[in-house]
Amino acid sequence: SMSLREHALSLFRSAVGTVRPAPMLKRVVKLQGGRCPQLLVKGQAFPVRRDLYLVGFGKAVLGMAVAAEEILGDHLIRGIINVPLGIQESLQKKKGGGVGTGREMLLKPHSKIQVIEGAKNNLPDPEALKGAAAIQELAEGLTADDLLLVLISGGGSALLPAPIPPILLEEKEKLTKTLASRGAAIQELNIVRKTLSLLKGGGLAQLAYPAQVVSLILSDVIGDPLDIIASGPTAASSHSIQDCLQILAKYSLLHSLPKSVETVLSSSPIKPTAPENYSHVCNIIIGSNTLALEEATRQAEGLGYTALILSAAICGKVSRIATLYCQLIRLACLGFAGLGEGPLGDEVRGNLLQLAAELEIPGLNLAEFLQALRGLEPERPVCILAGGETVVQLQGSGKGGRNQELALRVGLGLHRARAIEVGGLAGRCEIVFLSGGTDGQDGPTEAAGAFCSPELVDEALQEGLDAEAFLSNNDSYTFFSQFQGGRHLLVTGLTGTNVMDIQVILIR
């Protein structure tokens, strides 16, 4: 029988595989040729009256563009994509292994798609500015008979900087930095950025009018909000100039603005663009954390598990989320041992509901989930799947990422629970927990994440490794690379996609 570890790994890989740019695009996008050619996206048809153009920006867009060019064939006249600096070089080096090969992510030598690399360290730079200007020019030249296909993935914001003239990029950046230093939240920063930008907050869609605009979006944001992913260049902004002015006033910046910013703010229309002005636009989410989890569910059921999805919107501090997972695992194990209905089961259930209420995970109905957990067949192994994006509170100076830290914390939590548990965790249940980033990179490390089990802490102590000491220094990567020669690290290499993180819990 395959080990739980191998199962967890294969579930993670199939989840990521389903949102890899090329297979994902080919699944949902078709081109019907003939006398009246049309582009079909998830069953919606868009007539290709004259020319088809393509633009894109984001970390996963190179792979999406390669597949799009294959699908569109001769109908594609020209394309421009902005991608992170160095991405082509790193994919050229990548030979097979991991999830997908690097080659399928590279455009052919005579491609009609121009690739512009920019945004070093995920910050807008002159290269990104040049790319944004090229995209702007292409969009402005379109007619009512043209179709513009827009490819969008996370990390798109920094790749599409186009301040409204006469604002200079430096002025916009300086303003954003000042806001950040005065404590503005990321949402507030984005509202100000969008308001001063030509292409964000629906700007690109407005420039492309009257052409038909079809956006294919790979979401890396919880809840898939169209106006937030890559700052929503093709989505109606839900914010107005008023909102921007209020934020600038809140941080006492209204009276020290650069002249150029004052000019733009005073001459901009007060009301946001009306939704009917977006009738030429269609935004379609083609990949998300939810889709990845649904694929893993199908695979898990094929392997004989009862599979349950907890949530695709897991967010909050890693330490709290680790507690949530540990308590869930305890409850499932108590259920297996026939102790789920006793006082211990009730106590754990109560703790879980309390924790869920404090965490405020969007759309999580924990009571309903626990009900489903109760009704499980005792002899079938269980697979619990979840996804989202947690945050780590840094105390130490170690090397790690949120997924490795989560796995180590869960390992520690299960170790402690095992010491107090009667009949549940002790010996009767085999447990594996995996947490991994779907982009294949967790923090500044070459791992995507890590595995753990209740035995982890004891086994590490035998090698002289103290899990708690590593955790208190946020040094999860060093722990996992030293422990059993790195056997518990999840290493996939860069996947070319990104739908946040995925957690897999297997219990039998």
Side-chain angles (χ1 to χ4, degrees), residues 477-493:
Y477 175 73
T478 310
F479 171 87
F480 281 117
S481 41
Q482 289 178 5
F483 175 51
Q484 292 183 356
R487 217 180 71 89
H488 285 69
L489 277 175
L490 169 66
V491 181
T492 60

Side-chain angles (χ1 to χ4, degrees), residues 381-396:
V382 180
C383 167
I384 297 173
L385 295 155
E389 198 159 274
T390 55
V391 288
V392 173
Q393 286 196 297
L394 285 177
Q395 294 151 327

Side-chain angles (χ1 to χ4, degrees), residues 80-122:
I80 303 171
I81 58 171
N82 290 4
V83 296
L85 189 70
I87 190 166
Q88 293 177 97
E89 192 190 358
S90 73
L91 287 168
Q92 258 151 354
K93 288 196 193 119
K94 188 176 169 187
K95 303 280 184 284
V99 186
T101 63
R103 293 271 167 228
E104 71 178 43
M105 304 272 186
L106 291 167
L107 289 162
K108 296 182 183 44
H110 304 293
S111 169
K112 291 179 187 162
I113 299 173
Q114 177 192 0
V115 181
I116 298 174
E117 293 195 357
K120 190 179 177 184
N121 302 328
N122 210 13

Side-chain angles (χ1 to χ4, degrees), residues 221-239:
V221 183
I222 281 177
D224 310 334
L226 292 174
D227 64 328
I228 306 288
I229 302 163
S231 301
T234 57
S237 175
S238 44
H239 307 289

Side-chain angles (χ1 to χ4, degrees), residues 269-332:
I270 295 293
K271 281 209 282 289
T273 314
E276 56 269 23
N277 295 3
Y278 286 86
S279 57
H280 64 299
V281 183
C282 188
N283 289 307
I284 303 170
I285 299 229
I286 61 167
S288 65
N289 191 275
T290 302
L291 280 165
L293 293 181
E294 283 166 358
E295 175 62 25
T297 303
R298 278 194 290 279
Q299 301 284 339
E301 284 166 351
L303 290 169
Y305 290 87
T306 304
L308 298 169
I309 296 178
L310 176 67
S311 161
I314 297 289
C315 51
K317 294 176 191 161
V318 161
S319 51
R320 310 296 305 273
I321 299 300
T323 307
L324 179 77
Y325 287 141
C326 286
Q327 300 281 18
L328 261 181
I329 292 168
R330 282 183 69 192
L331 193 58

